[in-house]
Amino acid sequence: MSITDKLLSLYRIDQQIQGLTSRVNAARRYYETQQRQLTDLESRRNAAHTQARQIAATAANLETDVKGLDARIEELRKRMNEAQSAKEYKAVLTELNTVKADRERIETEAIESLGKVDSMNVQVAEIEAEIEQRRKVHDVAAQQLEKEQGEIASRLEELKTRRVEAARAVPAEAIAEFELLARRNDGEAMAEIVEEDRRRQEYCCGACNMTVPVELVSVLLSRAAMANCPSCRRILYLPEELRDDFDRRLAGRS
Ligand SMILES: [Zn+2]
């Protein structure tokens, strides 16, 4: 087996690992989205709840003020009845009217605040209902994630063991290059050679589609050395069918 063949075994294992984990990653992303939305709803609910409590406290203060003014009005009425002169009567009446106007204004404010508290409480209840719905979706997503993780766990373990074995068979330098290219290309360290035109001996890289000189194809055919795509640097390999094809052609020629 050439180094390229050994790397290809490694690459196939990596692709299987990627395939398995991509499903779990999708489930994880979905779960995390649900979790974020739930947290958002909860903080909106808490904010609305706090606001409702603050407005309720304001309304209570206003109602206390109204009671205080009621007592004051009572007192002024008594003083009016006991007034000794028209002048005194008129002075108390003026004050009474001012206090009454204040009372009116503050009571209106209190009623408005209580109305706001009611609508805030409705809002809290609405968010609460949304949270309940979202929590159901969230819990299903969590179960799904756990299930997916459980399903691939043993297969993933097996593939990882096989990967260690496959990597052990490859020289350290080639592994280092492979890992570097994998990091650079989203796991795609290798690319197959594609035959564009047999008669004209035109070949290209299956990943970047740029031309691969026929000399590199010959190198891979003879299994003499590794070959990199001149453009994207991925490690090139000959797909099984193409190699068989070449073998048949060579056999036909001899
Ligand atoms: Zn390429």
Side-chain angles (χ1 to χ4, degrees):
M1 253 222 243
S2 69
I3 295 179
T4 303
D5 291 334
K6 288 173 181 168
L7 282 175
L8 191 55
S9 305
L10 188 65
Y11 185 53
R12 302 265 193 243
I13 296 171
D14 275 355
Q15 282 181 318
Q16 286 181 62
I17 291 175
Q18 245 181 2
L20 278 181
T21 47
S22 74
R23 245 182 61 193
V24 173
N25 288 343
R28 182 176 298 112
R29 274 195 298 277
Y30 182 65
Y31 166 73
E32 284 169 355
T33 306
Q34 298 310 317
Q35 207 170 24
R36 251 196 321 276
Q37 287 177 351
L38 193 57
T39 310
D40 281 355
L41 282 171
E42 280 169 350
S43 60
R44 266 177 56 205
R45 188 258 331 264
N46 294 346
H49 187 65
T50 305
Q51 210 183 336
R53 270 174 44 198
Q54 282 165 350
I55 300 171
T58 307
N61 284 341
L62 292 169
E63 280 178 328
T64 308
D65 290 350
V66 169
K67 274 187 199 131
L69 292 173
D70 278 343
R72 179 77 182 133
I73 288 167
E74 204 51 47
E75 189 192 317
L76 289 170
R77 281 200 174 118
K78 213 181 280 170
R79 272 179 54 197
M80 261 169 65
N81 287 337
E82 292 160 1
Q84 300 297 312
S85 65
K87 192 181 164 198
E88 191 192 342
Y89 181 89
K90 215 185 147 203
V92 178
L93 180 63
T94 306
E95 193 187 344
L96 177 65
N97 285 336
T98 310
V99 175
K100 273 171 139 179
D102 280 352
R103 186 202 181 277
E104 184 89 0
R105 186 174 49 75
I106 293 170
E107 190 176 42
T108 308
E109 229 178 287
I111 291 167
E112 275 171 9
S113 295
L114 287 174
K116 266 188 220 159
V117 171
D118 284 345
S119 73
M120 287 306 296
N121 283 337
V122 169
Q123 212 174 311
V124 170
E126 279 169 3
I127 301 173
E128 207 56 79
E130 253 184 274
I131 288 174
E132 206 176 306
Q133 286 304 312
R134 182 60 56 194
R135 203 188 304 280
K136 280 180 199 157
V137 181
H138 168 273
D139 291 352
V140 170
Q143 282 166 14
Q144 188 65 26
L145 174 61
E146 205 174 311
K147 186 169 156 263
E148 299 259 7
Q149 278 171 333
E151 273 172 10
I152 69 157
S154 62
R155 179 90 184 105
L156 196 61
E157 231 18 75
E158 181 198 326
L159 282 169
K160 280 181 179 166
T161 309
R162 275 180 52 201
R163 193 191 192 279
V164 172
E165 283 162 21
R168 207 175 282 152
V170 186
E173 246 172 73
I175 283 282
E177 186 183 347
F178 177 90
E179 304 283 14
L180 178 72
L181 286 164
R183 273 198 300 279
R184 225 181 257 168
N185 299 303
D186 226 356
E188 217 181 271
M190 299 185 78
E192 63 170 25
I193 288 192
V194 176
E195 190 174 53
E196 296 259 86
D197 190 310
R198 178 169 301 182
R199 203 174 44 79
R200 284 196 268 171
Q201 296 196 315
E202 283 174 4
Y203 299 90
C204 75
C205 162
C208 73
N209 287 319
M210 298 303 277
T211 303
V212 171
V214 69
E215 291 75 24
L216 286 186
V217 179
S218 302
V219 165
L220 289 180
L221 263 179
S222 66
R223 294 191 159 91
M226 280 166 62
N228 295 77
C229 167
S231 303
C232 70
R233 306 305 305 162
R234 284 181 177 86
I235 300 163
L236 294 169
Y237 66 90
L238 279 172
E240 211 58 47
E241 323 81 68
L242 192 55
R243 182 181 284 282
D244 290 349
D245 235 33
F246 274 112
D247 286 346
R248 263 198 304 278
R249 269 180 268 164
L250 284 173
R253 219 179 282 165
S254 60

